[in-house]
Amino acid sequence: MFFPPFIRFLSISVIPKTSNISSLRFTTASLGDKFYALLHKNPKNVEAVLNCSKAKLDVKCINEVLKRCAVDNSLMGLRFFIWAGSQAGYRHSSYMYSKACECFRIKKSPKVVVDLFEAYRVEKCVVTVKTFKVVLNLCREGSLVDEALMVLRKMPQFNIRADTNSYNVVIKLLCDDGKMDDAQKLMGEMGLIDLYPDIITYMSMIKGFCKVGLLEEACELLKVMRGHGCVPNVVVYSTIVDGVCKFGSPERAIELLGEMEKEGGDCNPNVVTYTSVIQSFSEKGRTRDALGILDRMEAYGCAPNRVTVSYLIQGICMHNCLEEACKLIDRVVVGGSVSYGDCYSSLVICLIKMKKVEEAEKQFWRILAGGLKLDSLACSLMIKELCLEKRMLDAFRLHEEMQKMGWLFSIDSGVYSMLLNGLSQQNHLKEASSIASLCLEKGICLRISYLDKINGILENL
């Protein structure tokens, strides 16, 4: 989003004599400094004073004010932030909401939100719908469930009527916190004041029900939203499918897949939907069924991604069918949606997690010989496992081969720490010196506990 730069303040001739706006002009201070000075000179009803500036705000200016106010006056800084977010032509980004929460420590000190409205009441400030929306967005960013509900309840006290968006923020926070009874009551309350839930409301509720395992309630809400003229889409359906896979039966998930495929349009199942079902079958050891879903998704014109393939490989490896895993990789790579490097990285990671380190090592060397490139996680895990087995020279040799292939950028710094420490303990000083020199040359940050070892090793060079 474009934020127009600050143009100018109003002429002194149109500023009330009681205002200190004139002090902002004819100085070399930054715009943020000027606003900060203005706030301190007018601590009462700062919004009225700020409105006289008619300034077009930018992110840099707001950031400066937040940082300075965070030191000595969080409430004033928060009021400035809310005022800024209410101005025409400017809208806070999610980054700015995050910065405000960080500067004013809203997550640790949510009482500042209560103090804010008390200050508005005492000073009889003019509070608008935009004011409340900015505060609600702050509550959302800070995951302040109780405070968000309090803000919603404060709106009538300031003669402001809540809209669907305001309710949606609070309902989502309640759902994310697992407070589904409260969320349901709030959703029911909307109808009493002539507000109607939209797709966002239903999405939050359905996701919340699925999160706590209330699948029947989620499916029932799917019917309700249709009755209210709110058509579910693939995201809504996929959420329910994922919930059914986690807390229900894969068979029910297949039924939902059928409904989605039949309905088509915005409800067409995507790779996320199919992958949820494949994951469920794979984790239950039902590999044939998982492969059947792969056939189904490919027939429907939906290509698998790396996550899909990873779950399939996991299921196949549970049955010690490594040859079948390799056949699967050949099959999906032909489709062009995944690469050999991604698939074999998933295979190596899967074997390591299943404690089949010897087989993972064989595959790793075979892949190296074939010139394929594995990802950073696979490389780091392989060397780490060799270190854990105290096979430091084997780990070093593998590292050397990877260096020849130009893969070293993919090794985790923690793995270098383990490798250097292990080589030192086993008195492989030549190899340890090589690793230590590389770390210093590349600026690799090792764990503090190993820094003395590096110095000691280099002294022996």
Side-chain angles (χ1 to χ4, degrees), residues 176-422:
D176 290 345
D177 204 39
K179 297 179 178 179
M180 296 311 300
D181 287 342
D182 293 332
Q184 271 188 295
K185 290 176 183 176
L186 211 55
M187 186 175 175
E189 182 182 299
M190 293 175 70
L192 301 177
I193 56 174
D194 295 325
L195 291 177
Y196 298 94
D198 59 14
I199 187 69
I200 297 174
T201 320
Y202 286 113
M203 185 69 233
S204 296
M205 292 294 297
I206 288 172
K207 191 172 183 179
F209 280 133
C210 290
K211 182 179 179 181
V212 296
L214 298 175
L215 304 180
E216 290 302 320
E217 287 81 351
C219 291
E220 185 62 31
L221 203 56
L222 191 65
K223 299 175 184 176
V224 171
M225 66 184 294
R226 286 183 183 279
H228 288 171
C230 196
V231 181
N233 56 24
V234 64
V235 179
V236 174
Y237 262 115
S238 294
T239 300
I240 296 179
V241 169
D242 187 59
V244 169
C245 288
K246 288 178 180 177
F247 298 103
S249 68
E251 284 74 20
R252 174 58 180 140
I254 290 177
E255 290 178 13
L256 288 168
L257 270 182
E259 290 180 27
M260 295 174 71
E261 291 168 346
K262 183 178 179 180
E263 189 155 342
D266 290 339
C267 293
N268 277 333
N270 57 22
V271 65
V272 175
T273 322
Y274 286 112
T275 299
S276 292
V277 185
I278 286 174
Q279 177 187 0
S280 180
F281 277 125
S282 296
E283 290 177 346
K284 288 177 171 61
R286 299 172 59 177
T287 308
R288 287 185 178 278
D289 292 318
L291 290 170
I293 300 299
L294 176 64
D295 292 338
R296 182 170 181 162
M297 71 183 292
E298 289 181 329
Y300 199 74
C302 184
N305 59 18
R306 177 173 174 173
V307 179
T308 316
V309 177
S310 295
Y311 285 123
L312 287 165
I313 289 174
Q314 175 184 321
I316 293 171
C317 288
M318 284 173 63
H319 297 286
N320 298 313
C321 300
L322 189 59
E323 184 177 344
E324 292 299 317
C326 293
K327 289 181 180 178
L328 170 69
I329 291 173
D330 289 335
R331 169 186 167 179
V332 295
V333 168
V334 170
S337 59
V338 286
S339 68
Y340 273 113
D342 285 343
C343 291
Y344 276 107
S345 292
S346 295
L347 177 59
V348 168
I349 292 168
C350 177
L351 291 170
I352 290 174
K353 288 183 177 180
M354 296 175 71
K355 301 302 179 185
K356 298 180 179 181
V357 180
E358 183 179 350
E359 187 57 55
E361 187 179 3
K362 287 180 182 178
Q363 290 297 323
F364 202 102
W365 281 106
R366 186 172 72 82
I367 294 164
L368 273 176
L372 291 176
K373 185 175 182 180
L374 298 181
D375 66 17
S376 59
L377 181 58
C379 294
S380 294
L381 284 179
M382 191 71 257
I383 294 180
K384 180 181 178 181
E385 286 300 316
L386 294 176
C387 290
L388 291 173
E389 292 185 356
K390 307 298 182 183
R391 295 169 54 193
M392 307 313 302
L393 287 179
D394 288 337
F396 178 77
R397 293 189 188 101
L398 187 60
H399 174 273
E400 290 292 283
E401 289 301 315
M402 292 172 63
Q403 185 174 21
K404 292 177 185 177
M405 300 288 289
W407 293 5
L408 290 190
F409 68 89
S410 61
I411 303 299
D412 183 79
S413 61
V415 174
Y416 273 112
S417 299
M418 291 182 65
L419 181 57
L420 178 57
N421 185 47

Side-chain angles (χ1 to χ4, degrees), residues 56-303:
K56 291 188 176 180
L57 301 157
D58 59 30
V59 173
K60 181 179 179 182
C61 158
I62 295 170
N63 237 335
E64 287 180 13
V65 177
L66 295 189
K67 288 179 180 178
R68 297 194 64 175
C69 287
V71 176
D72 58 1
N73 200 324
S74 293
L75 183 58
M76 184 180 291
L78 186 58
R79 290 177 68 170
F80 170 79
F81 179 82
I82 294 166
W83 170 83
S86 304
Q87 300 308 295
Y90 175 83
R91 186 178 179 182
H92 289 312
S93 64
S94 58
Y95 169 78
M96 288 306 297
Y97 279 109
S98 175
K99 288 296 294 182
C101 285
E102 178 187 329
C103 284
F104 304 128
R105 301 177 182 176
I106 287 178
K107 293 182 181 182
K108 292 183 178 179
S109 305
K111 186 178 178 296
V112 69
V113 178
V114 180
D115 295 339
L116 174 71
F117 282 97
E118 180 60 19
Y120 286 156
R121 186 190 65 80
V122 171
E123 298 177 22
K124 297 180 180 180
C125 297
V126 176
V127 179
T128 66
V129 174
K130 284 188 176 181
T131 304
F132 276 94
K133 288 190 174 182
V134 174
V135 179
L136 283 172
N137 285 334
L138 270 172
C139 290
R140 176 170 55 189
E141 182 65 34
S143 300
L144 304 180
V145 184
D146 295 335
E147 286 71 23
L149 187 57
M150 180 273 294
V151 172
L152 190 69
R153 298 303 183 212
K154 286 280 185 185
M155 295 180 82
Q157 297 177 22
F158 288 84
N159 297 316
I160 292 175
R161 185 177 183 272
D163 59 10
T164 300
N165 289 334
S166 300
Y167 271 92
N168 281 345
V169 171
V170 185
I171 287 173
K172 185 180 187 306
L173 282 168
L174 289 167
C175 291
D176 290 345
D177 204 39
K179 297 179 178 179
M180 296 311 300
D181 287 342
D182 293 332
Q184 271 188 295
K185 290 176 183 176
L186 211 55
M187 186 175 175
E189 182 182 299
M190 293 175 70
L192 301 177
I193 56 174
D194 295 325
L195 291 177
Y196 298 94
D198 59 14
I199 187 69
I200 297 174
T201 320
Y202 286 113
M203 185 69 233
S204 296
M205 292 294 297
I206 288 172
K207 191 172 183 179
F209 280 133
C210 290
K211 182 179 179 181
V212 296
L214 298 175
L215 304 180
E216 290 302 320
E217 287 81 351
C219 291
E220 185 62 31
L221 203 56
L222 191 65
K223 299 175 184 176
V224 171
M225 66 184 294
R226 286 183 183 279
H228 288 171
C230 196
V231 181
N233 56 24
V234 64
V235 179
V236 174
Y237 262 115
S238 294
T239 300
I240 296 179
V241 169
D242 187 59
V244 169
C245 288
K246 288 178 180 177
F247 298 103
S249 68
E251 284 74 20
R252 174 58 180 140
I254 290 177
E255 290 178 13
L256 288 168
L257 270 182
E259 290 180 27
M260 295 174 71
E261 291 168 346
K262 183 178 179 180
E263 189 155 342
D266 290 339
C267 293
N268 277 333
N270 57 22
V271 65
V272 175
T273 322
Y274 286 112
T275 299
S276 292
V277 185
I278 286 174
Q279 177 187 0
S280 180
F281 277 125
S282 296
E283 290 177 346
K284 288 177 171 61
R286 299 172 59 177
T287 308
R288 287 185 178 278
D289 292 318
L291 290 170
I293 300 299
L294 176 64
D295 292 338
R296 182 170 181 162
M297 71 183 292
E298 289 181 329
Y300 199 74
C302 184

